[in-house]
Amino acid sequence: MSEQDEQQTKPAKPDGSQTMSRRKFLRNSGYAVGGVVLGGVLGYLLPKRETPPAAPAPAQNDNNYNQALMFFNQEQYRITEAAVERIFPADDNGPGAKELGAAFFIDHQLAGDWGFNARDYMQPPFYVGEKTQGYQGRLRRREIFYIGLREIQNYSQKKYQKDFPSLAPEEQDAVLTAFQNDEVKLTTISASGFFNLLRSSTLEGVYSDPLYGGNKNMQGWTMRQYPGNQMAYTNIIEKNFTVIPPKSLKDHL
């Protein structure tokens, strides 16, 4: 029996309206629950619905989401960024530490185990170590950076009446040189010790795997013609080659 025939055979209500057929009820019920009933005995009763268009894919961009602050505040980051650029400046050979993201590398390291000295023995007694022994105190690296960056700012204000990032390059060099030579007298940390820590961290940021925030686009490796993290050399070891494109750990996922 067609739906039209079934409707015609249904007795009218006292008000003259037709009683809803079972077929129409089932079909409308399917709409009400979002069309859940799609197969089986009732599937053929439901009208076919067009598949809605897929959501558009997110727009592609060049954002590097690894370059985000995890420890520094904005002022500390700007001081660090300015300092690392003077330690490893841009020149004809390639970009400097600022463009390579060394300040982000340092920020990420301070936010993790390295910043907490998690793998170092940090129990007393504490003695002043020899120069070959490195730092022997109770402060963690993140605390040393916190103090050191603040003192760079204080020294710049005292000597030049400007914040360190606002100084001319030669003035920034003079400030960093004063720290390197222990001309700045600090009570809590060694000025030269902080400079050496900042310098070594800068070089690590320039040449580390980009996975850790620095060495942006592997440009640090490219300047040194370093191949990066190659998994093997068996396919080229017997060939005549001098330079191969570097690879990051991410390239092997």
Side-chain angles (χ1 to χ4, degrees):
M1 179 183 295
S2 68
E3 181 177 349
Q4 183 178 3
D5 295 337
E6 186 176 356
Q7 287 283 6
Q8 292 175 350
T9 60
K10 291 292 182 179
K13 291 183 179 180
D15 59 0
S17 62
Q18 291 283 344
T19 304
M20 179 181 291
S21 69
R22 286 173 295 175
R23 183 180 300 175
K24 191 171 184 178
F25 171 79
L26 289 173
R27 185 171 65 189
N28 290 347
S29 298
Y31 290 145
V33 296
V36 174
V37 184
L38 296 178
V41 178
L42 302 178
Y44 76 97
L45 297 175
L46 302 179
K48 294 183 179 179
R49 304 173 66 183
E50 295 183 0
T51 303
Q60 298 296 320
N61 53 52
D62 296 328
N63 288 337
N64 184 350
Y65 294 102
N66 199 27
Q67 292 191 329
L69 296 182
M70 299 179 181
F71 173 73
F72 289 144
N73 59 34
Q74 291 293 332
E75 181 184 34
Q76 292 167 336
Y77 171 75
R78 286 192 293 269
I79 297 171
T80 304
E81 187 180 52
V84 299
E85 180 65 14
R86 298 314 304 156
I87 293 173
F88 193 95
D91 57 18
D92 294 338
N93 295 316
K98 177 180 179 179
E99 183 177 345
L100 292 172
F104 282 112
F105 169 83
I106 296 173
D107 170 80
H108 294 183
Q109 293 300 304
L110 291 173
D113 288 349
W114 186 81
F116 284 100
N117 294 62
R119 298 187 179 184
D120 298 341
Y121 183 81
M122 298 293 293
Q123 300 299 320
F126 299 104
Y127 299 102
V128 178
E130 301 295 332
K131 290 185 177 181
T132 56
Q133 293 179 311
Y135 179 70
Q136 301 289 313
R138 67 178 70 248
L139 296 177
R140 291 172 171 79
R141 294 185 185 95
R142 53 172 33 210
E143 296 167 330
I144 294 174
F145 264 88
Y146 180 86
I147 297 171
L149 295 175
R150 183 188 64 199
E151 294 298 340
I152 283 181
Q153 190 79 315
N154 291 341
Y155 184 78
S156 301
Q157 287 282 359
K158 181 178 180 180
K159 188 173 180 64
Y160 298 104
Q161 293 75 51
K162 294 180 182 179
D163 292 340
F164 181 80
S166 301
L167 298 178
E170 59 273 12
E171 294 172 335
Q172 292 176 338
D173 290 347
V175 171
L176 294 175
T177 300
F179 272 74
Q180 182 182 21
N181 297 334
D182 273 326
E183 297 172 8
V184 183
K185 303 304 178 182
L186 307 180
T187 57
T188 51
I189 63 174
S190 162
S192 62
F194 170 67
F195 174 83
N196 292 333
L197 182 61
L198 176 63
R199 181 182 181 276
S200 61
S201 300
T202 300
L203 296 179
E204 290 170 7
V206 168
Y207 295 121
S208 66
D209 192 287
L211 187 67
Y212 300 104
N215 189 15
K216 186 177 181 180
N217 297 327
M218 296 180 283
Q219 294 179 85
W221 289 347
T222 300
M223 286 190 290
R224 304 286 295 182
Q225 297 184 354
Y226 176 67
N229 291 303
Q230 304 283 338
M231 291 295 101
Y233 297 89
T234 54
N235 59 329
I236 58 173
I237 195 67
E238 296 181 356
K239 299 178 181 179
N240 293 325
F241 72 94
T242 55
V243 179
I244 58 177
K247 286 187 176 181
S248 166
L249 291 170
K250 185 178 183 298
D251 296 328
H252 303 288
L253 294 177

